[in-house]
Amino acid sequence: MSFWKNLVGKFTTLIGQKEQVDWEAILIESDLGINLSQKLYSLLEKEKLLNRTDLAEKRIRNELIAILGNGNLSFPIGQPGVILLVGVNGGGKTTTAAKLAYKFKSEGKKVYLAACDTFRAAATEQLKIWAEKLELPVISAKEGADAASVAFRAYSQASQSQADYLIVDTAGRQANKKNLMLELGKIKKTLEKASGQVPLFVLLVVDGTSGSNVLVQAREFHEALGLSAMVVTKLDSSAKGGMIAAVKYELGIPTLFIGRGENLEALEAFSPEGFIEEFFSR
Amino acid sequence: MLELLQQKLQSLFKNLRGYGKLSEENISGAIREIRLALLAADVHYQVVRDICEEVKQKALGTKVLESIRPGDQFIKIFHDALIEYLASEKQGLSTERPLRILLCGLNGSGKTTTAAKLALWCKKNKERVGLVAADLTRPAAREQLTKLASQIDVPVYAPEKEEKIEAFLSRALEQTKQDRLSVVIYDTAGRLDLDEELLKELQLAYSVVLPQEVLLVIDSATGQKGVDIVKAFLEKIPVSGLILSKFDGDARGGAAFSVKKVTGLSVLFLGTGEKVEAFEPFRAERLVDRLFGFGDIVSFVEKV
Ligand SMILES: Nc1nc2c(ncn2[C@@H]2O[C@H](COP(=O)(O)OP(=O)(O)OP(=O)(O)O)[C@@H](O)[C@H]2O)c(=O)[nH]1
Ligand SMILES: Nc1nc2c(ncn2[C@@H]2O[C@H](COP(=O)(O)OP(=O)(O)OP(=O)(O)O)[C@@H](O)[C@H]2O)c(=O)[nH]1
Ligand SMILES: [Mg+2]
Ligand SMILES: [Mg+2]
């Protein structure tokens, strides 16, 4: 049975003789967050669609399409264009760095990697193994080194060899740790200065199995750094990634890619239509 | 947050004092507030519904004391109910020795870090501890565990190049026996709940090691699917407890609460930072405080 039928079945109760779908349950269970769930629910309520499953579904589809929009985002063109990956611990930054590098390389671009996670045990080794597999240069330093100076060195080298892209992996951090967020700001400033104020592309990497905290993460990283877009990983799980819509709805930050596996190919461009199709059918 | 909830409840209950018992009418607003707080903390929708119903039943008919504000009294009823939900028969780890602990969980939940934290914790309790690097999937997984192990000065058993998981685990099992370790912690690869193949691999690892403890490491930020995720693991191996990681962030950890309610599995430890020392036994109050963003519910409840 499809996810949707399953879910609707689970949340349908026979009240009197009339079948009633618990729309609120369905929306919340998809991790759309409280605000967006309530907004959609009250739409259905106001338009008296709560008991009309098909029409209600259509209404939600349209609303989600409108929220997710179709803005065209493109990567920066610089010498090189810099993509800074940030996020909380274990979200998938390093893996996403490798996946992005693979994508650019397949498109014939020249890519450099910067291992700016000088903190976590074997974080640099992890990125190096990916770089080796990809046969791409990676700039790194030993554990405990200053992350901003690794970024600076990586920029200089990538720029000298006229790379198209520099992908910068950073250490995971919880957004409530002020000093760690400041360190990230420093990496960003260093890169901006090196590139002559060319704006960086700052990508927040979030775990698709996370719930409402994603909204907090997006808000705080956005405040600290100014986010360009989001990547949502681990959507090869049973999670629905509803937070994609919540973050777009509340903060206007779009999702650019989704991750669906541990291998290099498992990165997909995000499409609102695809998201909604899955939302209703998986 | 506690203050906000208190204020809201105070105004909801402002006409209540002296009316005798809490009634359906005057607590429905309060239940609504609590419901939102639980949902915002990622407690599963159905679990929230059950809790609200139970709290309502408990609160109904409770005599309003003259000496305290009814809102505060309601918070206390609610708080006590949550603590009761989290109460567990399982206290700490199995006392069998040698003890084999298998750590499992989703990708990036914190298994490898937790393996080292748990090893240090056991070491402080005078155990002879070893770590087994049984993640053959993630790049540099074994280097990560090896580095952590050397920080805490604990031996680590790692696979040879090209060695298959089954052969390696049998070898590790034998070697740790020979080395007379009292506690051996097995780190495994991360896997998602829909990955049949990797879940089967875990089942295999379980059948070779036959650990007395199977601990599932779950991220405090886990969303509504937390319960399904845990169930997927439970279908394959007998998980015996949870470790809630990244509790130092600002995520509420509501999923751990729903998992407890639905599967009966308790949280045994909290991970509270990236460092190996950032680890502590679980106390229900901490999770309940966090669920509501309460600063100090304990002293508040004591006052009531
Ligand atoms: N199944 C699946 N696993 C993923 C995906 N993206 C990342 N992972 C896995 O998630 C785990 C953590 O990924 P990392 O790339 O190390 O995460 P990180 O954000 O760099 O972690 P820290 O640097 O420790 O903060 C690894 O086991 C990855 O293989 C995905 O889309 N699907
Ligand atoms: N802030 C914080 N970070 C943690 C905690 N536990 C683990 N981490 C971090 O979370 C990230 C992932 O941790 P790992 O131990 O590599 O996770 P894992 O489950 O072994 O990952 P895979 O093997 O790839 O599935 C790392 O950056 C850790 O430092 C914690 O309690 N608090
Ligand atoms: Mg990383
Ligand atoms: Mg690991």
Side-chain angles (χ1 to χ4, degrees), chain A residues 179-273:
Chain A
N179 54 336
L180 295 181
M181 294 305 276
L182 287 175
E183 187 211 55
L184 212 45
K186 196 176 140 203
I187 297 176
K188 188 191 174 204
K189 275 205 196 88
T190 303
L191 284 163
E192 262 165 359
K193 217 163 152 191
S195 65
Q197 308 300 323
V198 178
L200 314 186
F201 201 83
V202 186
L203 266 179
L204 178 72
V205 180
V206 305
D207 185 326
T209 67
S210 296
S212 57
N213 188 245
V214 169
L215 206 48
V216 181
Q217 291 165 27
R219 191 173 287 128
E220 310 233 310
F221 278 88
H222 194 45
E223 248 166 48
L225 299 164
L227 297 175
S228 312
M230 201 160 75
V231 176
V232 180
T233 63
K234 309 182 199 175
L235 286 182
D236 42 331
S237 66
S238 65
K240 305 287 286 174
M243 273 294 135
I244 292 175
V247 168
K248 182 74 190 332
Y249 172 62
E250 295 200 24
L251 303 167
I253 299 164
T255 292
L256 199 53
F257 292 104
I258 58 176
R260 251 201 240 282
E262 297 188 67
N263 57 338
L264 288 170
E265 296 87 13
L267 186 74
E268 295 171 15
F270 173 75
S271 106
E273 289 77 16

